[in-house]
Amino acid sequence: MTDWEKQLQRKAAAVDRTKTDLDEDIAAARLDGKSFREIGRWAGVNHERARTIAIRINGDSRTRAEREATA
């Protein structure tokens, strides 16, 4: 394997980790009660994308307070 191959593979792996971290932070912000528009603006994604990420990770789009109110 060449140096370029190694370097590019390392960087691609780092990007994947960063994307995963961003998605987890988006989901956590929603649980803490932040709006999808706020989250989207902060994360540089569309608010619908933020909603989709929160649903995928949290299981639904509700905040922690909303979940507790229906429990």
Side-chain angles (χ1 to χ4, degrees):
M1 185 178 297
T2 68
D3 289 341
W4 278 110
E5 288 173 300
K6 290 176 188 176
Q7 179 177 340
L8 291 172
Q9 286 178 351
R10 281 193 308 273
K11 288 190 180 197
V15 167
D16 287 342
R17 284 190 303 275
T18 301
K19 285 180 180 179
T20 299
D21 290 347
L22 177 62
D23 286 358
E24 290 172 359
D25 287 347
I26 287 169
R30 180 58 183 165
L31 282 177
D32 284 346
K34 304 306 178 193
S35 76
F36 289 118
R37 290 197 186 276
E38 287 176 315
I39 296 167
R41 187 173 61 248
W42 299 332
V45 298
N46 177 294
H47 71 279
E48 286 298 329
R49 177 75 179 127
R51 182 178 180 276
T52 301
I53 291 166
I55 291 170
R56 178 173 46 84
I57 293 174
N58 296 338
D60 65 32
S61 64
R62 295 177 296 166
T63 66
R64 187 174 288 113
E66 292 169 339
R67 289 176 181 210
E68 292 170 357
T70 61

